[in-house]
């Protein structure tokens, strides 16, 4: 089946540092790709998405580009803030051979980000 | 616009009991999804309901079941609770045929 692999965490950065969280995937067809963020004690919030190759998703200073040739969707932010401390999940939708969604998101294991002042 | 809501926020049960978790989707959404987030196991897909029908099911035993009501709200039932069912249960919703899922805050189930 489809799968998502995220870089091992936790990641600890100082405020204003550059952030990269790596995400690679294995999938049949052409899934949509997502980044979700989970703040302590809360559910998941959609951060950004991309639905086809070379699409760039962006939100709140975060960006990720759908790279079909490297099957990657790395999350980046130029200058992190303390308020960005959270768990970040990369995910994809699984599609059947005809391109219809199974309705299922497959998640990576999550990356804990801690930003210090 | 109200987001996905779930109730209760916390639930404590003992082994062998049944748990019922509830979810109300975003207004206009007809699909509801359930996920389990157990410590150390990540997020696992449980169930997908759309227009009142179960459309897909994850790799969970039959004691995990649910339904979707005519107003598109949903409930998840877990029978014969086991200690390893302790987890955060997340509900998400979307428009039919749309891939983007919006999540609720979750119900934290503790089985003693």
């Amino acid at each position: 089946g489809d799968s998502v692999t995220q870089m091992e965490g936790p990641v600890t950065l100082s405020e204003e540092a550059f952030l990269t969280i790596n995400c690679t995937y294995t999938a049949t067809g052409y899934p949509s790709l997502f980044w979700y963020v989970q703040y302590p004690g809360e559910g998941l919030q959609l951060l950004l998405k991309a639905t086809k190759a070379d699409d760039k998703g962006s939100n709140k200073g975060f960006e990720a580009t759908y790279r079909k040739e490297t099957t990657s969707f790395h999350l980046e932010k130029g200058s992190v803030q303390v308020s960005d401390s959270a768990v970040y999940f990369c995910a994809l939708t699984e599609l059947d051979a005809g391109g219809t969604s199974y309705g299922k998101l497959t998640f990576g294991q999550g990356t804990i980000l801690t930003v210090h002042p | 616009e109200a987001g996905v809501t779930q109730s209760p926020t916390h639930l404590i049960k003992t082994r062998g009991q049944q748990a019922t978790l509830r979810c109300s989707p975003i207004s206009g959404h007809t699909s509801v999804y359930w996920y389990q987030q157990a410590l150390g196991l990540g997020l696992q897909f449980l169930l997908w309901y759309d227009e009142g029908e179960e459309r897909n099911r994850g790799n969970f035993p039959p004691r995990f079941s649910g339904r979707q009501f005519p107003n598109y709200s949903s409930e998840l039932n877990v029978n014969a609770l086991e200690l390893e069912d302790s987890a955060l249960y997340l509900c998400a919703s979307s428009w039919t045929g749309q891939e983007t899922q919006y999540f609720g805050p979750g119900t934290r189930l503790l089985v003693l």
Side-chain angles (χ1 to χ4, degrees):
Chain A
D2 296 357
S3 65
V4 176
T5 302
Q6 287 181 235
M7 66 183 289
E8 295 279 336
V11 174
T12 303
L13 296 172
S14 297
E15 207 164 26
E16 299 184 2
F18 184 86
L19 169 71
T20 299
I21 301 177
N22 290 337
C23 171
T24 57
Y25 66 91
T26 303
T28 54
Y30 303 96
S32 293
L33 302 174
F34 305 85
W35 278 99
Y36 282 88
V37 58
Q38 186 174 34
Y39 296 101
E42 299 184 10
L44 272 66
Q45 294 181 25
L46 177 66
L47 185 57
L48 53 85
K49 68 175 184 178
T51 58
K52 61 183 186 296
D54 299 325
D55 266 3
K56 177 186 282 188
S58 61
N59 186 27
K60 299 181 181 179
F62 291 91
E63 293 183 340
T65 301
Y66 191 144
R67 300 287 189 200
K68 186 172 180 296
E69 64 277 11
T70 54
T71 62
S72 65
F73 193 55
H74 305 322
L75 182 68
E76 296 182 336
K77 186 176 185 183
S79 177
V80 294
Q81 305 300 311
V82 172
S83 57
D84 294 326
S85 298
V87 183
Y88 292 80
F89 291 93
C90 184
L92 62 77
T93 48
E94 292 197 28
L95 308 175
D96 65 17
T100 300
S101 172
Y102 283 115
K104 167 185 175 181
L105 283 170
T106 296
F107 288 88
Q109 67 269 37
T111 301
I112 300 171
L113 171 66
T114 302
V115 180
H116 293 295
Chain B
E1 179 184 281
V4 176
T5 59
Q6 293 186 243
S7 63
T9 54
H10 293 81
L11 190 57
I12 300 175
K13 295 286 186 179
T14 56
R15 197 170 50 184
Q17 286 188 314
Q18 179 195 38
T20 298
L21 289 64
R22 296 180 176 82
C23 172
S24 291
I26 291 172
S27 178
H29 287 188
T30 57
S31 280
V32 170
Y33 313 81
W34 289 95
Y35 292 84
Q36 182 194 66
Q37 187 177 24
L39 199 62
L41 294 178
L43 282 146
Q44 304 293 321
F45 169 76
L46 264 166
L47 290 159
W48 171 29
Y49 292 96
D50 181 64
E51 298 284 358
E53 300 286 330
E54 182 179 304
R55 302 294 185 185
N56 195 10
R57 180 182 183 86
N59 189 25
F60 281 84
R63 57 192 187 82
F64 287 84
S65 65
R67 54 181 171 165
Q68 186 179 32
F69 299 99
N71 66 353
Y72 304 112
S73 67
S74 175
E75 68 179 28
L76 174 70
N77 295 294
V78 187
N79 294 320
L81 285 165
E82 300 179 2
L83 297 179
E84 52 265 35
D85 296 334
S86 295
L88 180 66
Y89 289 84
L90 293 167
C91 173
S93 72
S94 75
W95 288 279
T96 297
Q98 295 298 308
E99 298 168 321
T100 303
Q101 298 180 21
Y102 298 88
F103 284 79
T107 292
R108 193 166 296 279
L109 172 64
L110 178 61
V111 183
L112 301 175

